[in-house]
Amino acid sequence: MTKAIRFSRTGGPEVLEYVDVNVGAPGPGEATVRHEAIGLNFIDVYFRTGLYPQPLPSGLGQEGAGVVEAVGEGVTHVKPGDRVAYAGRPNGAYSEKRNMPAAILLKLPDNIGFDTAAAMMLQGMTVQYLFHRTAQLKAGDTILFHAAAGGVGLIACQWAKALGVNLIGTAGSDEKAALAKAHGAAHVINYNTENFTQRVKEITNGQGVSVVYDSIGKDTFIGSLDSLAPLGLMVSFGNASGPVDPFSLGELQSRGSLFVTRPTLFTYVAKRPDLEACAASLFDVVGSGKVKIDINQRYNLADVAQAHIDLEARKTTGSTIILP
């Protein structure tokens, strides 16, 4: 038997159950992966609470790294013994072992360990598409990035610095602000003691930024729009404070013909060539040392409910992994 997390109703962390499951032979197009490390991400909370609906009962988790134990019919790009990592659906990464679609598996370079891979695939590929495809950032650009001390944020701070981009970050405490600054943010705003919109205008001499990256959602959306320069791009890629309220398109016109997008990683990597290119870019920037993955929390699989409690309370910094 294999240990895994399952839940049969939506709700708080208490709905997560640590149970035994049977993992049979992989079907056509599938691979059996034995996890060495599993990623924890805020999207997991969205599925657990029902913000993102899915059929129940279900597993949880979309990111992991481990070793291929077996492959099903038609699978040729990975084989038993390969070191692999992934980020993508279906949910089920919170497990010692699972059968999963082989199409989302990526071979790990020898210089990237399992813990690092599990901590970076979803967050790192998110930064890759945000910086290189949603907006094509270039040296000298000035951007605003919320939650700069989180897992995605610390990767973004380093990647922005490597690109020559001036990243203004926000964080909820002076300690978190210092952490983001140490990872390459040009400026960091403590949103609990400062008005971030006002500070952005001060930092940019009243101009505003060209792009805002906002994973907070409801609490920061309007302030983010107010931080943009005319023709700026608002990238809303998360809902940590709740979904954004409906708003009039006139809000964009009145602030200078702004653009808004609500992207998701899985659209950007839906085609295998795009997935491989995105991952290769991430592997390169991490392998070169320009971006280091900070794993600041580790939880055992049996304790994943506590991991969710800490994540929602914003007690975590950097990346978090679960150990099977």
Side-chain angles (χ1 to χ4, degrees):
M1 299 294 283
T2 294
K3 291 293 187 181
I5 298 295
R6 294 287 187 267
F7 68 114
S8 56
R9 58 189 175 91
T10 58
E14 70 279 358
V15 304
L16 301 176
E17 299 179 280
Y18 184 59
V19 299
D20 291 315
V21 298
N22 285 314
V23 178
E30 291 186 335
T32 305
V33 175
R34 184 186 75 250
H35 288 128
E36 297 290 339
I38 301 154
L40 176 76
N41 296 284
F42 219 97
I43 193 172
D44 304 343
V45 174
Y46 300 157
F47 281 105
R48 191 204 74 220
T49 61
L51 178 64
Y52 289 1
Q54 66 174 341
L56 297 176
S58 175
L60 198 62
Q62 299 190 358
E63 179 180 42
V67 177
V68 175
E69 288 194 337
V71 297
E73 180 183 351
V75 176
T76 58
H77 68 285
V78 293
K79 65 184 184 303
D82 282 348
R83 301 170 66 252
V84 295
Y86 67 90
R89 299 181 186 178
N91 281 320
Y94 290 8
S95 60
E96 293 176 336
K97 182 167 66 174
R98 68 183 294 203
N99 289 330
M100 60 181 299
I104 66 172
L105 292 176
L106 295 151
K107 290 184 182 179
L108 270 181
D110 292 338
N111 63 344
I112 296 178
F114 290 121
D115 285 11
T116 297
M120 79 177 191
M121 294 303 294
L122 193 148
Q123 296 171 346
M125 290 198 297
T126 293
V127 176
Q128 199 282 337
Y129 88 78
L130 289 176
F131 281 9
H132 293 282
R133 295 185 66 193
T134 303
Q136 296 180 2
L137 298 183
K138 61 185 184 303
D141 286 344
T142 300
I143 65 174
L144 175 64
F145 205 102
H146 288 295
V152 176
L154 291 184
I155 294 172
C157 288
Q158 296 174 80
W159 210 323
K161 185 176 182 179
L163 293 171
V165 170
N166 301 307
L167 183 147
I168 303 171
T170 69
S173 69
D174 290 342
E175 292 77 14
K176 287 187 175 183
L179 186 62
K181 192 75 181 292
H183 282 74
H187 304 273
V188 187
I189 302 163
N190 182 340
Y191 58 75
N192 281 319
T193 60
E194 301 176 283
N195 181 305
F196 75 81
T197 303
Q198 181 179 330
R199 281 290 293 130
V200 165
K201 290 299 178 71
E202 291 171 357
I203 293 167
T204 61
N205 296 315
Q207 298 301 304
V209 297
S210 58
V211 187
V212 175
Y213 294 101
D214 189 341
S215 61
I216 304 301
K218 182 177 181 178
D219 290 352
T220 52
F221 186 77
I222 296 300
S224 293
L225 293 182
D226 289 335
S227 300
L228 283 165
L231 304 180
L233 173 63
M234 169 66 184
V235 184
S236 176
F237 70 103
N239 311 292
S241 67
V244 174
D245 292 328
F247 70 99
S248 168
L249 290 178
E251 301 284 354
L252 307 180
Q253 177 270 331
S254 64
R255 289 171 169 81
S257 302
L258 302 181
F259 298 84
V260 175
T261 183
R262 181 60 174 90
T264 175
L265 168 65
F266 304 120
T267 307
Y268 279 83
V269 299
K271 297 178 181 178
R272 181 73 193 186
D274 291 333
L275 172 63
E276 291 179 349
C278 185
S281 176
L282 174 62
F283 292 156
D284 179 67
V285 76
V286 172
S288 71
K290 293 177 182 177
V291 171
K292 294 180 172 60
I293 307 301
D294 284 359
I295 303 172
N296 294 338
Q297 298 81 212
R298 288 175 165 84
Y299 297 85
N300 291 325
L301 182 61
D303 300 324
V304 76
Q306 185 61 51
H308 275 233
I309 291 170
D310 293 345
L311 182 64
E312 291 183 273
R314 301 186 184 182
K315 291 182 179 179
T316 63
T317 59
S319 297
T320 302
I321 60 170
I322 301 163
L323 301 174

